[in-house]
Short mmCIF file of all heavy atoms in Angstrom, two decimals:
data_model
loop_
_atom_site.label_atom_id
_atom_site.label_comp_id
_atom_site.label_asym_id
_atom_site.label_seq_id
_atom_site.Cartn_x
_atom_site.Cartn_y
_atom_site.Cartn_z
N GLY A 522 -84.62 33.09 22.52
CA GLY A 522 -85.05 31.70 22.94
C GLY A 522 -83.95 30.80 22.87
O GLY A 522 -83.67 29.95 23.84
N ILE A 523 -83.03 30.83 21.86
CA ILE A 523 -81.94 30.00 21.69
C ILE A 523 -80.85 30.33 22.82
O ILE A 523 -80.32 29.52 23.48
CB ILE A 523 -81.26 30.10 20.33
CG1 ILE A 523 -82.30 29.51 19.28
CG2 ILE A 523 -79.89 29.36 20.29
CD1 ILE A 523 -81.82 29.81 17.94
N VAL A 524 -80.76 31.72 23.06
CA VAL A 524 -79.91 32.08 24.17
C VAL A 524 -80.36 31.48 25.54
O VAL A 524 -79.59 31.07 26.36
CB VAL A 524 -79.65 33.58 24.27
CG1 VAL A 524 -78.98 34.08 25.43
CG2 VAL A 524 -79.13 34.12 22.96
N GLY A 525 -81.65 31.68 25.69
CA GLY A 525 -82.22 31.12 26.97
C GLY A 525 -81.99 29.63 27.15
O GLY A 525 -81.76 29.13 28.26
N TYR A 526 -82.26 28.89 26.07
CA TYR A 526 -81.90 27.42 26.05
C TYR A 526 -80.42 27.13 26.42
O TYR A 526 -80.23 26.26 27.20
CB TYR A 526 -82.23 26.87 24.71
CG TYR A 526 -81.86 25.48 24.40
CD1 TYR A 526 -82.37 24.39 25.04
CD2 TYR A 526 -80.61 25.23 23.66
CE1 TYR A 526 -81.98 23.12 24.75
CE2 TYR A 526 -80.17 23.91 23.45
CZ TYR A 526 -80.87 22.84 24.00
OH TYR A 526 -80.36 21.63 23.75
N LEU A 527 -79.56 27.80 25.74
CA LEU A 527 -78.16 27.58 26.10
C LEU A 527 -77.79 28.05 27.47
O LEU A 527 -76.95 27.35 28.19
CB LEU A 527 -77.27 28.49 25.12
CG LEU A 527 -77.36 28.00 23.63
CD1 LEU A 527 -76.53 29.08 22.75
CD2 LEU A 527 -76.75 26.62 23.40
N PHE A 528 -78.40 29.13 27.92
CA PHE A 528 -78.17 29.48 29.40
C PHE A 528 -78.62 28.34 30.38
O PHE A 528 -77.89 28.07 31.35
CB PHE A 528 -78.90 30.80 29.65
CG PHE A 528 -78.10 32.04 29.55
CD1 PHE A 528 -77.32 32.21 28.33
CD2 PHE A 528 -77.97 32.99 30.51
CE1 PHE A 528 -76.49 33.42 28.23
CE2 PHE A 528 -77.21 34.12 30.35
CZ PHE A 528 -76.55 34.33 29.21
N LYS A 529 -79.73 27.77 30.07
CA LYS A 529 -80.27 26.71 30.91
C LYS A 529 -79.32 25.52 30.84
O LYS A 529 -79.06 24.88 31.86
CB LYS A 529 -81.71 26.33 30.51
CG LYS A 529 -82.75 27.37 30.72
CD LYS A 529 -83.17 27.28 32.17
CE LYS A 529 -84.34 28.21 32.36
NZ LYS A 529 -84.78 28.25 33.70
N LYS A 530 -78.92 25.17 29.61
CA LYS A 530 -77.92 24.04 29.48
C LYS A 530 -76.56 24.20 30.21
O LYS A 530 -76.09 23.33 30.79
CB LYS A 530 -77.72 23.75 28.04
CG LYS A 530 -78.93 23.25 27.21
CD LYS A 530 -79.40 21.96 27.73
CE LYS A 530 -78.50 20.77 27.13
NZ LYS A 530 -79.03 19.48 27.57
N LEU A 531 -76.09 25.46 30.21
CA LEU A 531 -74.81 25.75 30.83
C LEU A 531 -74.99 26.24 32.16
O LEU A 531 -74.01 26.60 32.85
CB LEU A 531 -74.11 26.82 29.87
CG LEU A 531 -73.82 26.47 28.48
CD1 LEU A 531 -73.28 27.68 27.69
CD2 LEU A 531 -72.81 25.26 28.45
N ASP A 532 -76.25 26.22 32.68
CA ASP A 532 -76.38 26.54 34.13
C ASP A 532 -76.11 28.02 34.41
O ASP A 532 -75.58 28.38 35.49
CB ASP A 532 -75.71 25.60 35.07
CG ASP A 532 -76.35 25.76 36.44
OD1 ASP A 532 -77.50 25.99 36.63
OD2 ASP A 532 -75.51 25.42 37.37
N TYR A 533 -76.50 28.93 33.48
CA TYR A 533 -76.29 30.36 33.70
C TYR A 533 -77.62 30.95 34.08
O TYR A 533 -78.61 30.56 33.45
CB TYR A 533 -75.85 31.06 32.44
CG TYR A 533 -74.37 31.08 32.28
CD1 TYR A 533 -73.74 29.89 31.75
CD2 TYR A 533 -73.55 32.20 32.51
CE1 TYR A 533 -72.29 29.94 31.56
CE2 TYR A 533 -72.15 32.17 32.43
CZ TYR A 533 -71.52 31.04 31.98
OH TYR A 533 -70.14 31.01 31.71
N PRO A 534 -77.69 31.75 35.15
CA PRO A 534 -79.01 32.20 35.52
C PRO A 534 -79.54 33.39 34.58
O PRO A 534 -78.72 34.17 34.03
CB PRO A 534 -78.72 32.91 36.91
CG PRO A 534 -77.23 33.29 36.88
CD PRO A 534 -76.60 32.22 35.92
N LEU A 535 -80.87 33.34 34.34
CA LEU A 535 -81.49 34.33 33.52
C LEU A 535 -81.83 35.60 34.11
O LEU A 535 -81.91 36.70 33.59
CB LEU A 535 -82.70 33.69 32.78
CG LEU A 535 -82.45 32.65 31.81
CD1 LEU A 535 -83.68 31.99 31.27
CD2 LEU A 535 -81.64 33.15 30.54
N ALA A 536 -82.30 35.49 35.46
CA ALA A 536 -82.74 36.66 36.16
C ALA A 536 -81.72 37.89 36.13
O ALA A 536 -82.18 39.05 36.02
CB ALA A 536 -83.11 36.33 37.62
N PRO A 537 -80.48 37.66 36.47
CA PRO A 537 -79.46 38.87 36.33
C PRO A 537 -79.44 39.52 35.06
O PRO A 537 -79.31 40.66 34.93
CB PRO A 537 -78.06 38.16 36.70
CG PRO A 537 -78.52 37.01 37.44
CD PRO A 537 -79.73 36.44 36.81
N LEU A 538 -79.57 38.65 33.91
CA LEU A 538 -79.60 39.29 32.58
C LEU A 538 -80.84 40.15 32.36
O LEU A 538 -80.78 41.30 31.89
CB LEU A 538 -79.60 38.10 31.51
CG LEU A 538 -79.36 38.44 30.01
CD1 LEU A 538 -78.88 37.29 29.28
CD2 LEU A 538 -80.64 38.97 29.35
N VAL A 539 -81.98 39.70 32.77
CA VAL A 539 -83.22 40.51 32.57
C VAL A 539 -83.13 41.74 33.48
O VAL A 539 -83.48 42.85 33.06
CB VAL A 539 -84.36 39.63 32.98
CG1 VAL A 539 -85.72 40.49 33.08
CG2 VAL A 539 -84.58 38.41 32.02
N LEU A 540 -82.54 41.61 34.66
CA LEU A 540 -82.52 42.74 35.53
C LEU A 540 -81.62 43.83 35.08
O LEU A 540 -81.86 45.00 35.08
CB LEU A 540 -81.87 42.28 37.00
CG LEU A 540 -81.89 43.39 38.11
CD1 LEU A 540 -83.27 43.63 38.60
CD2 LEU A 540 -80.96 43.01 39.20
N ALA A 541 -80.48 43.37 34.51
CA ALA A 541 -79.54 44.41 33.92
C ALA A 541 -80.11 45.02 32.62
O ALA A 541 -79.85 46.09 32.43
CB ALA A 541 -78.18 43.64 33.57
N LEU A 542 -80.83 44.21 31.89
CA LEU A 542 -81.43 44.70 30.65
C LEU A 542 -82.55 45.85 31.06
O LEU A 542 -82.66 46.81 30.30
CB LEU A 542 -82.08 43.58 29.87
CG LEU A 542 -82.72 43.95 28.54
CD1 LEU A 542 -81.77 44.69 27.58
CD2 LEU A 542 -83.33 42.79 27.93
N VAL A 543 -83.32 45.56 32.06
CA VAL A 543 -84.33 46.48 32.45
C VAL A 543 -83.82 47.75 33.18
O VAL A 543 -84.20 48.87 32.89
CB VAL A 543 -85.33 45.76 33.34
CG1 VAL A 543 -86.31 46.75 33.91
CG2 VAL A 543 -86.09 44.74 32.63
N LEU A 544 -82.71 47.51 34.07
CA LEU A 544 -82.29 48.65 34.83
C LEU A 544 -81.00 49.20 34.42
O LEU A 544 -80.51 50.24 34.92
CB LEU A 544 -82.09 48.19 36.43
CG LEU A 544 -83.41 47.76 37.09
CD1 LEU A 544 -83.04 47.38 38.50
CD2 LEU A 544 -84.42 49.03 37.10
N GLY A 545 -80.26 48.57 33.45
CA GLY A 545 -78.94 49.01 33.08
C GLY A 545 -78.94 50.39 32.57
O GLY A 545 -78.06 51.18 33.00
N ARG A 546 -79.80 50.87 31.84
CA ARG A 546 -79.86 52.34 31.34
C ARG A 546 -80.20 53.33 32.47
O ARG A 546 -79.42 54.30 32.51
CB ARG A 546 -80.88 52.40 30.13
CG ARG A 546 -80.82 53.77 29.52
CD ARG A 546 -81.35 53.73 28.07
NE ARG A 546 -80.45 52.90 27.26
CZ ARG A 546 -80.46 53.07 25.87
NH1 ARG A 546 -81.26 54.01 25.29
NH2 ARG A 546 -79.68 52.43 25.15
N ASN A 547 -81.06 52.91 33.30
CA ASN A 547 -81.42 53.79 34.50
C ASN A 547 -80.20 53.92 35.36
O ASN A 547 -79.88 55.03 35.92
CB ASN A 547 -82.59 53.33 35.28
CG ASN A 547 -83.91 53.43 34.48
OD1 ASN A 547 -83.90 54.19 33.59
ND2 ASN A 547 -84.84 52.66 34.90
N ALA A 548 -79.47 52.81 35.62
CA ALA A 548 -78.29 52.86 36.43
C ALA A 548 -77.23 53.60 35.80
O ALA A 548 -76.45 54.39 36.44
CB ALA A 548 -77.87 51.43 36.68
N GLU A 549 -77.06 53.48 34.54
CA GLU A 549 -76.04 54.33 33.75
C GLU A 549 -76.33 55.81 33.90
O GLU A 549 -75.43 56.60 34.15
CB GLU A 549 -76.00 53.91 32.36
CG GLU A 549 -74.98 54.62 31.50
CD GLU A 549 -75.16 54.37 29.96
OE1 GLU A 549 -76.00 53.62 29.52
OE2 GLU A 549 -74.26 54.90 29.20
N ASP A 550 -77.62 56.12 33.75
CA ASP A 550 -78.00 57.54 33.70
C ASP A 550 -77.75 58.17 35.07
O ASP A 550 -77.24 59.26 35.20
CB ASP A 550 -79.45 57.77 33.33
CG ASP A 550 -79.73 57.41 31.84
OD1 ASP A 550 -78.74 57.48 31.09
OD2 ASP A 550 -80.92 57.32 31.44
N SER A 551 -78.11 57.41 36.13
CA SER A 551 -77.83 57.85 37.55
C SER A 551 -76.33 58.13 37.86
O SER A 551 -75.94 59.13 38.43
CB SER A 551 -78.45 56.93 38.59
OG SER A 551 -79.84 56.88 38.42
N PHE A 552 -75.56 57.05 37.31
CA PHE A 552 -74.18 57.24 37.55
C PHE A 552 -73.60 58.47 36.76
O PHE A 552 -72.74 59.15 37.34
CB PHE A 552 -73.36 55.93 37.07
CG PHE A 552 -71.91 55.90 37.27
CD1 PHE A 552 -71.35 55.82 38.49
CD2 PHE A 552 -71.14 56.11 36.11
CE1 PHE A 552 -69.99 55.78 38.63
CE2 PHE A 552 -69.75 56.17 36.18
CZ PHE A 552 -69.17 56.02 37.55
N ARG A 553 -73.98 58.68 35.52
CA ARG A 553 -73.43 59.72 34.80
C ARG A 553 -73.81 61.11 35.23
O ARG A 553 -73.00 62.02 35.32
CB ARG A 553 -73.84 59.62 33.30
CG ARG A 553 -73.17 58.40 32.62
CD ARG A 553 -73.76 58.11 31.25
NE ARG A 553 -73.33 58.98 30.20
CZ ARG A 553 -73.61 58.75 28.94
NH1 ARG A 553 -74.30 57.73 28.62
NH2 ARG A 553 -73.19 59.64 28.00
N GLN A 554 -75.13 61.17 35.83
CA GLN A 554 -75.50 62.40 36.51
C GLN A 554 -74.70 62.70 37.73
O GLN A 554 -74.34 63.80 38.01
CB GLN A 554 -77.02 62.26 36.87
CG GLN A 554 -77.98 62.35 35.58
CD GLN A 554 -79.34 62.03 35.98
OE1 GLN A 554 -79.79 61.98 37.19
NE2 GLN A 554 -80.13 61.63 35.03
N ALA A 555 -74.47 61.64 38.53
CA ALA A 555 -73.63 61.82 39.73
C ALA A 555 -72.21 62.17 39.33
O ALA A 555 -71.63 63.12 40.07
CB ALA A 555 -73.59 60.42 40.50
N MET A 556 -71.61 61.65 38.36
CA MET A 556 -70.30 62.00 37.91
C MET A 556 -70.25 63.49 37.43
O MET A 556 -69.26 64.21 37.67
CB MET A 556 -69.76 61.10 36.79
CG MET A 556 -69.50 59.69 37.32
SD MET A 556 -68.15 59.66 38.67
CE MET A 556 -69.33 59.49 40.13
N LEU A 557 -71.26 63.89 36.69
CA LEU A 557 -71.36 65.29 36.16
C LEU A 557 -71.35 66.18 37.31
O LEU A 557 -70.73 67.29 37.33
CB LEU A 557 -72.49 65.54 35.22
CG LEU A 557 -72.42 64.83 33.86
CD1 LEU A 557 -73.74 64.99 33.10
CD2 LEU A 557 -71.32 65.53 33.01
N SER A 558 -72.24 65.89 38.30
CA SER A 558 -72.40 66.88 39.48
C SER A 558 -71.13 66.95 40.24
O SER A 558 -70.83 67.92 41.04
CB SER A 558 -73.57 66.43 40.31
OG SER A 558 -73.35 65.21 40.91
N SER A 559 -70.35 65.87 40.35
CA SER A 559 -69.12 65.87 41.13
C SER A 559 -67.87 66.10 40.34
O SER A 559 -66.73 65.90 40.91
CB SER A 559 -68.93 64.55 41.89
OG SER A 559 -68.78 63.43 40.92
N GLN A 560 -68.07 66.44 39.02
CA GLN A 560 -66.89 66.61 38.14
C GLN A 560 -66.03 65.40 38.03
O GLN A 560 -64.78 65.54 38.10
CB GLN A 560 -66.12 67.87 38.53
CG GLN A 560 -66.98 69.15 38.49
CD GLN A 560 -66.20 70.41 38.79
OE1 GLN A 560 -65.16 70.33 39.50
NE2 GLN A 560 -66.65 71.46 38.42
N GLY A 561 -66.60 64.26 38.01
CA GLY A 561 -65.78 63.00 37.87
C GLY A 561 -65.25 62.38 39.10
O GLY A 561 -64.49 61.46 39.07
N ASP A 562 -65.58 62.97 40.35
CA ASP A 562 -65.01 62.37 41.53
C ASP A 562 -65.89 61.27 42.04
O ASP A 562 -67.08 61.44 42.41
CB ASP A 562 -65.06 63.54 42.54
CG ASP A 562 -64.35 63.05 43.97
OD1 ASP A 562 -63.89 61.89 43.98
OD2 ASP A 562 -64.43 63.87 44.86
N VAL A 563 -65.33 60.05 42.04
CA VAL A 563 -66.11 58.81 42.36
C VAL A 563 -66.45 58.84 43.85
O VAL A 563 -67.30 58.19 44.23
CB VAL A 563 -65.31 57.56 42.08
CG1 VAL A 563 -66.02 56.27 42.42
CG2 VAL A 563 -64.99 57.52 40.57
N MET A 564 -65.73 59.62 44.65
CA MET A 564 -65.92 59.58 46.11
C MET A 564 -67.26 60.29 46.46
O MET A 564 -67.67 60.28 47.57
CB MET A 564 -64.84 60.36 46.75
CG MET A 564 -63.45 59.76 46.74
SD MET A 564 -63.48 57.96 47.33
CE MET A 564 -64.01 58.11 48.96
N ILE A 565 -68.00 60.74 45.49
CA ILE A 565 -69.37 61.19 45.78
C ILE A 565 -70.24 60.09 46.25
O ILE A 565 -71.22 60.31 46.90
CB ILE A 565 -69.99 61.82 44.50
CG1 ILE A 565 -71.19 62.65 44.88
CG2 ILE A 565 -70.31 60.85 43.41
CD1 ILE A 565 -71.84 63.44 43.77
N MET A 566 -69.79 58.91 45.91
CA MET A 566 -70.57 57.69 46.32
C MET A 566 -70.43 57.47 47.90
O MET A 566 -71.05 56.60 48.45
CB MET A 566 -70.25 56.44 45.56
CG MET A 566 -70.30 56.58 44.12
SD MET A 566 -71.91 57.26 43.49
CE MET A 566 -73.01 56.06 44.08
N PHE A 567 -69.58 58.31 48.52
CA PHE A 567 -69.38 58.27 50.00
C PHE A 567 -69.46 59.56 50.59
O PHE A 567 -69.04 59.85 51.64
CB PHE A 567 -67.97 57.66 50.26
CG PHE A 567 -67.77 56.21 49.81
CD1 PHE A 567 -67.23 56.01 48.55
CD2 PHE A 567 -68.11 55.12 50.64
CE1 PHE A 567 -67.08 54.70 48.10
CE2 PHE A 567 -68.00 53.92 50.17
CZ PHE A 567 -67.46 53.55 48.95
N SER A 568 -70.24 60.46 49.88
CA SER A 568 -70.27 61.94 50.20
C SER A 568 -71.15 62.11 51.46
O SER A 568 -70.96 63.20 52.09
CB SER A 568 -70.71 62.81 49.11
OG SER A 568 -71.98 62.33 48.72
N ASN A 569 -72.03 61.30 51.84
CA ASN A 569 -72.85 61.42 53.08
C ASN A 569 -73.10 60.04 53.60
O ASN A 569 -72.90 59.04 53.01
CB ASN A 569 -74.18 62.18 52.75
CG ASN A 569 -75.04 61.57 51.71
OD1 ASN A 569 -75.41 60.39 51.85
ND2 ASN A 569 -75.31 62.24 50.57
N GLY A 570 -73.74 60.10 54.79
CA GLY A 570 -73.95 58.78 55.49
C GLY A 570 -74.82 57.78 54.73
O GLY A 570 -74.60 56.66 54.79
N LEU A 571 -75.87 58.37 54.12
CA LEU A 571 -76.85 57.53 53.38
C LEU A 571 -76.21 56.84 52.27
O LEU A 571 -76.23 55.55 52.11
CB LEU A 571 -78.11 58.40 53.02
CG LEU A 571 -79.17 57.59 52.20
CD1 LEU A 571 -79.74 56.44 53.00
CD2 LEU A 571 -80.21 58.62 51.77
N VAL A 572 -75.70 57.69 51.27
CA VAL A 572 -75.10 57.04 50.13
C VAL A 572 -73.89 56.18 50.42
O VAL A 572 -73.62 55.10 49.79
CB VAL A 572 -74.81 58.13 49.08
CG1 VAL A 572 -73.62 58.93 49.51
CG2 VAL A 572 -74.52 57.45 47.59
N GLY A 573 -73.17 56.60 51.44
CA GLY A 573 -71.90 55.87 51.85
C GLY A 573 -72.24 54.45 52.33
O GLY A 573 -71.59 53.45 52.07
N SER A 574 -73.37 54.44 53.23
CA SER A 574 -73.73 53.17 53.83
C SER A 574 -74.29 52.24 52.80
O SER A 574 -73.98 51.07 52.84
CB SER A 574 -74.73 53.37 54.95
OG SER A 574 -75.86 54.05 54.47
N ILE A 575 -75.08 52.68 51.95
CA ILE A 575 -75.63 51.78 50.85
C ILE A 575 -74.52 51.31 49.88
O ILE A 575 -74.56 50.16 49.58
CB ILE A 575 -76.74 52.57 49.99
CG1 ILE A 575 -77.79 52.99 50.86
CG2 ILE A 575 -77.26 51.72 48.90
CD1 ILE A 575 -78.90 53.84 50.15
#
Side-chain angles (χ1 to χ4, degrees):
I523 296 171
V524 172
Y526 167 77
L527 293 175
F528 266 50
K529 291 280 186 182
K530 294 292 289 183
L531 298 174
D532 199 26
Y533 275 79
L535 290 174
L538 189 156
V539 175
L540 185 77
L542 181 58
V543 172
L544 293 181
R546 186 154 293 200
N547 290 340
E549 180 191 4
D550 289 345
S551 297
F552 179 73
R553 291 169 78 172
Q554 289 170 17
M556 290 300 99
L557 286 171
S558 64
S559 68
Q560 297 182 341
D562 186 4
V563 183
M564 293 309 293
I565 193 175
M566 305 311 301
F567 298 92
S568 57
N569 59 60
L571 177 60
V572 69
S574 58
I575 298 175

